[in-house]
Each structure stands twice: as C-alpha cells, then as structure tokens.
Amino acid sequence: MKLVWCYITFYKIRSVTIISILVAIIMTPLVSSSLGNGLVEKVSERGLKTPVLVTRRGGKIKETLSALFFLKRESGQYLIYKDFLEIEESDYRGSSVPLFVKYYSNKSPVVGTHLEYFEFRNLTFLKGHSFSYPGDVVAGFEVAKSKKLKVGDRIKLDVSNPYDLTRLKSISLVIKGILNKKNNSDDSTFFTGLQTIWAMEGLLHGHEKDDPFVEKLEGKTVFSKSLKLSQDFSTYHYHGEQSQLPITHILFRGEQHKDETLLKYKINSSISKMAYRPSESVDELIKAFLNIKGVFHRYHIFWSLSSLILIFIIFTFIYQVRKEEFKNLFVIGGGPFIIFKNLGLLFIFYFVMALFFSLIFFKPLIIFIRMTL
C-alpha cells in the first residue's frame, strides 16, 4: 500500500488525469439522468395543470411551448379578446385566463395577462403586490434574483421593430411585486396587464395638445419617445373596441371534465381556432426527448468504453515502465500476485477518489447547469 501511495504522489499529473477521466465516466450519466428526469417531471406537471389551451390553428407543440413555457411565438396569427369574453360569458363553468406572449426584457419573457393568472397558477407574493395600472409589472423569483431587481425598480421593454413609428419605441415598466419561487417557467418571467402589451402593439393613442410623446407624421399619429405608462397613461386611450384587441392564448380549467370537453368541441368547430389538452402535446415532447436521451446514453456507453480502454492502455504503460521493479519485488519474496495487487490497489484508489469527487461535485454541478439554462 505504501508503494502504491508513493507512486501516486510521485506521478501527480498522471494520477489527476486518470481520476478526472473516471469522474467524467461516473458523473455524465448521473447528471444527464438527473437533469432529464427533472425536466420531464416539470414539463409533465405544467401540462397537467393546464387542462385546456385555446389558440389559433397551427402547430400544437409550438403553441404549447409558447403558452406554458413562454418560448418565442413564431406565428403572427392572434385570437381576439372577444374569444376570451365569449368563454367567460358562456355556460361552461370554470376559470379562464387570457395571455399575450410576444415581448421580452433582456431575454426574459414579458407576458400580458389578467390578475386571475396568479390564482390559476397558485402564485403568491414574496414582496409587494400585483400590477394595478398599465406600466406595472410583476417579476418572477428567479428573474428578480438573477437581475438583482427589487420593488420600485424599472425594466425596459424593447420593441421588436424600432422602425415602426406608429408604435412606442419602448416602455419603462415599474416592478410592483416579486413572486415566491415555484420551480417552473413562471420564476423566470415578468407579468403585466394586457393593457401594457396592447400599448406596445401600437393600440394606445394620445390626444393632448401639448403631449410630448405624440407627433403627427403625414396625418398619422406616431410615438416619438419612450413612455412611462405609470406616470403618463391618463392622456391615452385605446384604438377600436377592446373586444377586437389581440391575445395569443386562453387557458381554461373547468369545474368538471364535461365543461372542458364541451368547450373543446365548440372551439374546434371553428376554422380559425383550436382547443386541446396541452398534456397531449407534452407527451409527444417527452417521447421525443426520451428518444434523444436513448441516443445520448448509447453515445455515453461508447465514450465510457473508449475512456476505459485509454485507462487500460495507461495501466499497460505503467506495467511496462515498472516491469523491472515488479521482477525485483518478486525475487525478494513479493509473491506471484504482486503485479495484480499493486496495479489493482492503484486502480481501486483511483476509482474511490473519483467516486468521492463525483459525490462532492454532483449537486453543485446540477445547480450550476440549471441556473445556466
């Protein structure tokens, strides 16, 4: 054992290399499995907690990702607010919530919705309160933590097309509240009222004579500066009927299963709208993910075998270098198994050290990867 320890301390770089390879072999499947299982669990839970999703006809998976996880929506087709009002005024008993998913603030989604969304998702406040006026915004736990935001701070919501003069160039939103942690996509999202989003869509119009934010260009109203809605919204009103303003999705949870079924039947009879259970799309996503995970695992097996072959070559090299040393040990009474004992103890030590470091770094690495993603 002393001889093995002397070898390890003398060949430090070689020992560190072998231990690092073994750590990678041990941790790769553990980390991928932990992250994969966590992702599947979160995605499934999010889908199950959204019984029915109403949106424009199109790709179900893309719309599900947009409505549940607030990923960028590619479709330029929208529902109108009237679709939401019809569900609210119908005989289908349950709770419905409109969404507008399009805008971002420094890569974090800014979602327009109603106050009922917080009840729909069981969201509670860590600090402050919900949005009350246009220009107010609520921050998710993780986005507030990562950007070091607090109640009263402002975030800037940028317009996707800065050359459209009929829209506001930007809006400064005031953080009124920070949500408690929920370990889902709500944590990394800002929430504001639909009125704020409609303002960004160019559906806000000012008529004050000396309004510093409005100019006339060829008889058309344009917005010349950034607008702080919380301060200046009193001088504006919306174009057109509120019922005709755009939204992207409607979430619905019926009091009974039949309410959801009947709503789906009614919506799906339309040629422009569709209603479905997001859990069905989530299941398709999980199946695709598991297929990818299977390919990854096969790659890991190949990579692990390659690494083990490399370790075997290293040990063969060690044996060749120490061949005369082993002969001398055998001559002085080391026994016939001195080679296997020496190299075996060396490998066991390397493996135990690799296992030790894997256990130490496993949780911090998982936390770091999740924070990065």
Side-chain angles (χ1 to χ4, degrees):
M1 188 67 184
K2 189 176 180 181
L3 192 63
V4 172
W5 178 250
C6 289
Y7 177 84
I8 292 167
T9 53
F10 186 79
Y11 295 102
K12 293 183 180 68
I13 296 176
R14 188 181 299 170
S15 298
V16 169
T17 302
I18 295 173
I19 290 171
S20 299
I21 293 171
L22 288 171
V23 167
I25 292 172
I26 293 169
M27 288 194 67
T28 302
L30 293 177
V31 170
S32 62
S33 180
S34 177
L35 290 174
N37 292 337
L39 178 63
V40 168
E41 185 179 332
K42 285 183 179 180
V43 170
S44 299
E45 182 184 12
R46 190 77 165 172
L48 291 172
K49 288 186 176 180
T50 311
V52 177
L53 175 62
V54 180
T55 185
R56 291 280 298 194
R57 286 202 176 276
K60 287 185 178 181
I61 291 179
K62 289 182 179 180
E63 293 295 347
T64 299
L65 291 173
S66 176
L68 271 60
F69 307 102
F70 311 126
L71 298 187
K72 191 172 183 180
R73 189 170 180 267
E74 296 178 1
S75 174
Q77 300 296 315
Y78 299 105
L79 299 171
I80 57 175
Y81 194 66
K82 183 180 179 182
D83 297 322
F84 166 71
L85 294 176
E86 286 177 351
I87 294 174
E88 283 283 281
E89 295 165 4
S90 69
D91 295 329
Y92 309 124
R93 293 173 297 174
S95 54
S96 54
V97 180
L99 294 178
F100 194 111
V101 182
K102 179 179 179 180
Y103 290 101
Y104 287 80
S105 174
N106 195 18
K107 297 183 180 180
S108 297
V110 180
V111 176
T113 186
H114 280 181
L115 296 175
E116 286 75 15
Y117 180 84
F118 302 116
E119 183 180 351
F120 192 92
R121 294 296 190 197
N122 294 318
L123 298 173
T124 55
F125 284 85
L126 176 67
K127 296 177 182 177
H129 56 81
S130 185
F131 49 81
S132 304
Y133 300 98
D136 292 349
V137 69
V138 170
F141 181 87
E142 290 296 342
V143 72
K145 182 180 177 182
S146 63
K147 299 179 189 299
K148 298 179 180 179
L149 298 171
K150 59 185 184 296
V151 174
D153 287 348
R154 289 184 176 273
I155 64 166
K156 198 170 183 180
L157 185 60
D158 296 324
V159 182
S160 56
N161 182 9
Y163 302 105
D164 187 351
L165 298 178
T166 63
R167 299 188 181 205
L168 293 170
K169 289 180 174 61
S170 66
I171 292 182
S172 178
L173 305 180
V174 183
I175 296 175
K176 294 295 183 178
I178 297 173
L179 298 169
N180 279 309
K181 191 173 184 178
K182 290 292 287 185
N183 293 314
N184 56 36
S185 53
D186 293 327
D187 290 340
S188 55
T189 304
F190 293 104
F191 297 97
T192 186
L194 284 173
Q195 293 85 354
T196 304
I197 299 297
W198 288 333
M200 290 301 296
E201 285 293 290
L203 302 170
L204 188 66
H205 189 77
H207 282 292
E208 292 297 316
K209 249 185 182 181
D210 301 321
D211 196 328
F213 297 104
V214 179
E215 296 175 352
K216 292 287 183 180
L217 184 65
E218 296 178 357
K220 200 173 185 180
T221 301
V222 300
F223 294 91
S224 58
K225 298 181 181 180
S226 300
L227 177 65
K228 295 181 179 180
L229 286 178
S230 293
Q231 295 179 4
D232 308 295
F233 185 73
S234 60
T235 63
Y236 291 83
H237 69 265
Y238 294 108
H239 266 300
E241 294 292 327
Q242 185 183 29
S243 62
Q244 299 303 309
L245 298 180
I247 57 176
T248 58
H249 310 91
I250 301 170
L251 310 178
F252 180 78
R253 179 186 292 122
E255 290 185 8
Q256 297 181 14
H257 189 271
K258 69 176 183 180
D259 294 308
E260 298 167 1
T261 303
L262 290 170
L263 176 67
K264 282 174 57 184
Y265 177 79
K266 180 184 177 182
I267 297 295
N268 288 328
S269 63
S270 167
I271 60 172
S272 61
K273 297 176 288 186
M274 63 179 179
Y276 61 95
R277 296 190 181 278
S279 56
E280 297 168 1
S281 298
V282 166
D283 289 342
E284 291 180 31
L285 281 172
I286 291 173
K287 285 177 184 176
F289 172 77
L290 291 176
N291 288 334
I292 296 171
K293 190 177 177 183
V295 172
F296 181 80
H297 281 170
R298 286 193 289 272
Y299 168 78
H300 174 256
I301 291 170
F302 171 78
W303 178 79
S304 297
L305 288 173
S306 302
S307 301
L308 289 172
I309 290 170
L310 176 62
I311 291 172
F312 175 76
I313 292 170
I314 292 172
F315 271 81
T316 303
F317 172 74
I318 293 171
Y319 169 73
Q320 291 298 330
V321 171
R322 300 179 62 191
K323 196 172 182 180
E324 291 300 320
E325 179 188 338
F326 288 138
K327 281 184 180 178
N328 292 333
L329 287 172
F330 178 75
V331 170
I332 63 176
F337 300 105
I338 186 64
I339 298 172
F340 298 105
K341 284 180 181 178
N342 194 279
L343 295 180
L345 283 172
L346 188 62
F347 180 80
I348 289 170
F349 177 85
Y350 285 150
F351 184 80
V352 169
M353 289 299 294
L355 194 61
F356 174 73
F357 284 118
S358 297
L359 292 173
I360 288 177
F361 292 114
F362 175 70
K363 282 190 177 180
L365 182 61
I366 292 292
I367 293 169
F368 173 76
I369 293 173
R370 284 176 176 168
M371 286 177 64
T372 305
L373 297 175

